[in-house]
Amino acid sequence: MNIIYKRLFELSIRHEFFANGKGRNLNLIPTKETQNLFKSGRMLFRDTPNGTLVLYRAKNDLVSPEIDLPRPKTFTFLLQSNDQAFIQTVSDFDKLPRKFSSGDFLHFQNLPAQASTDSSNPESLEHEILDGRRPMRFSSELVLNPNPGTVILQVLDSDGNKISSGQDFNGQAFPVDRNIQAEPDGKVRFEINLNGKKEGVYTIRLRNDLDTTTLWTRDFFLSADPNLSNSLGVVQIRYSNSPDHLYGLQEFYRLQLNRKTSKWTYYIVNQNKRIDLSSSTLIIEDRENPPSSPYSQYQFDQLGSTPHPDIRINDHETVIFRSQVPIPYFERPKLNLELRRNPGNRVLFSHLPNPLRHSPVKTDGGDPISEIYVYI
């Protein structure tokens, strides 16, 4: 008897930061729930140089599955990195108007009606920013001001249906509109217990006692997988009843991550005091980029006078420059940024350093700022 496996879908991970475009240091791991689904459906999961591959065991016609999984069906993968801090530093996870911040969680998913069977044009997964991730059972405490007295706790599943938030001491399910008494200081304490439910995105909200106003709401990804807390996000490949994409032609998906941009800010520090800044002018000039460079040519404006009237570094005079537009993060450095001194048009630095990739990014006037310190 021949054992035949046919490809169900391929999912590639791409990242603009890396020169070859591949999502280096990023991995997809099926959740425990999805691993069990693979076993029951006689399916295989394999890592590839570009991402991941899922196969199913087919009959002799090379199309029909030996185990026909019922639809709708969802496969869930944890998005992890062995250098999570670095990936977060160089990646733009924002989903306007919301900005990604500490504690947030990424949720990528396909649109079943747009599944692509063209390997050269895979479906690009959409993403949203969730308020975090939680195990299936957890407790929470928060303060509402002003004190509402009584609130209604509601839990909504991925389809927006209200479900019970757990069981009482007698094993009876709580009502979907569960009354909770706030404490005198405005604290509201509650426990969520969704053991036995499918993993996915759940909405937890508190409403006033008349159920007319939402006082607090959060969207969480809930899963019993022990590796959830170490993940940047989750990726879900969903199959609906119509159209049916679960078996037949191979499908192709792409998880595309974008690089961050920031305005580069140079602090030129007159450490050795060899330059009389009161009689000299410093400029930053961007010369021609090498072939195939992803960078443009950038203009830098001086902030303040020479030297800067208010900012000194280690009690040394400082001249500050900032790029007029944000510059992209990229694996290869930006070359040919020259620091020049006039009079004399003398080159002090032929290749100014780029921002350190692990350096924190500040915000000034709503613009992300990368600071670079250059000592002369």
Side-chain angles (χ1 to χ4, degrees), residues 99-281:
K99 289 186 175 293
F100 183 86
S101 60
S102 177
D104 287 343
F105 196 63
L106 299 169
H107 177 228
F108 295 87
Q109 62 182 343
N110 66 315
L111 296 176
Q114 297 183 12
S116 172
T117 57
D118 182 358
S119 61
S120 63
N121 186 31
E123 178 189 348
S124 187
L125 303 184
E126 299 287 337
H127 91 279
E128 61 180 336
I129 302 173
L130 303 180
D131 297 299
R133 65 277 206 194
R134 296 287 188 274
M136 288 298 188
R137 181 172 183 173
F138 69 95
S139 58
S140 187
E141 175 185 292
L142 56 104
V143 176
L144 296 178
N145 189 14
N147 189 337
T150 300
V151 298
I152 298 175
L153 172 64
Q154 298 174 342
V155 178
L156 283 69
D157 63 15
S158 299
D159 296 321
N161 302 312
K162 288 195 290 186
I163 62 174
S164 174
S165 58
Q167 298 178 338
D168 61 20
F169 290 111
N170 297 319
Q172 297 297 315
F174 288 119
V176 294
D177 296 316
R178 175 181 167 190
N179 291 325
I180 296 178
Q181 185 68 38
E183 299 181 10
D185 59 0
K187 285 185 178 180
V188 177
R189 290 188 174 93
F190 57 86
E191 182 179 273
I192 303 295
N193 186 351
L194 299 183
N195 284 332
K197 299 292 185 181
K198 291 184 178 181
E199 62 191 0
V201 179
Y202 289 80
T203 299
I204 301 169
R205 67 189 182 192
L206 299 176
R207 305 268 288 174
N208 66 336
D209 58 351
L210 298 177
D211 197 14
T212 57
T213 304
T214 298
L215 306 175
W216 177 90
T217 184
R218 295 290 186 273
D219 295 322
F220 297 111
F221 191 88
L222 271 60
S223 173
D225 195 290
N227 294 313
L228 184 70
S229 60
N230 300 322
S231 304
L232 283 164
V234 293
V235 177
Q236 292 194 300
I237 301 298
R238 303 173 300 144
Y239 293 92
S240 61
N241 285 322
S242 179
D244 183 354
H245 295 293
L246 187 53
Y247 298 106
L249 295 175
Q250 181 182 350
E251 297 167 357
F252 298 88
Y253 302 98
R254 177 178 61 218
L255 193 164
Q256 178 67 58
L257 296 179
N258 300 323
R259 56 192 170 212
K260 278 184 178 177
T261 62
S262 64
K263 289 187 176 182
W264 293 8
T265 303
Y266 283 97
Y267 290 80
I268 311 300
V269 184
N270 194 17
Q271 178 176 246
N272 295 323
K273 300 180 180 180
R274 295 179 179 176
I275 298 177
D276 183 1
L277 293 180
S278 62
S279 61
S280 300
T281 300

Side-chain angles (χ1 to χ4, degrees), residues 64-80:
S64 303
E66 285 194 356
I67 303 296
D68 193 355
L69 293 175
R71 290 161 290 278
K73 192 62 62 183
T74 299
F75 301 102
T76 302
F77 304 85
L78 300 175
L79 178 63
Q80 297 188 330

Side-chain angles (χ1 to χ4, degrees), residues 300-345:
F300 287 79
D301 295 329
Q302 183 175 328
L303 305 184
S305 56
T306 305
H308 196 282
D310 302 316
I311 297 178
R312 298 174 68 91
I313 306 298
N314 295 332
D315 203 32
H316 298 305
E317 293 178 334
T318 304
V319 184
I320 305 175
F321 296 92
R322 179 170 294 168
S323 61
Q324 292 180 353
V325 298
I327 300 175
Y329 282 60
F330 190 63
E331 182 178 24
R332 294 173 182 168
K334 164 69 175 166
L335 303 177
N336 297 328
L337 284 180
E338 292 186 344
L339 177 64
R340 293 172 174 266
R341 187 194 73 179
N342 286 318
N345 198 28

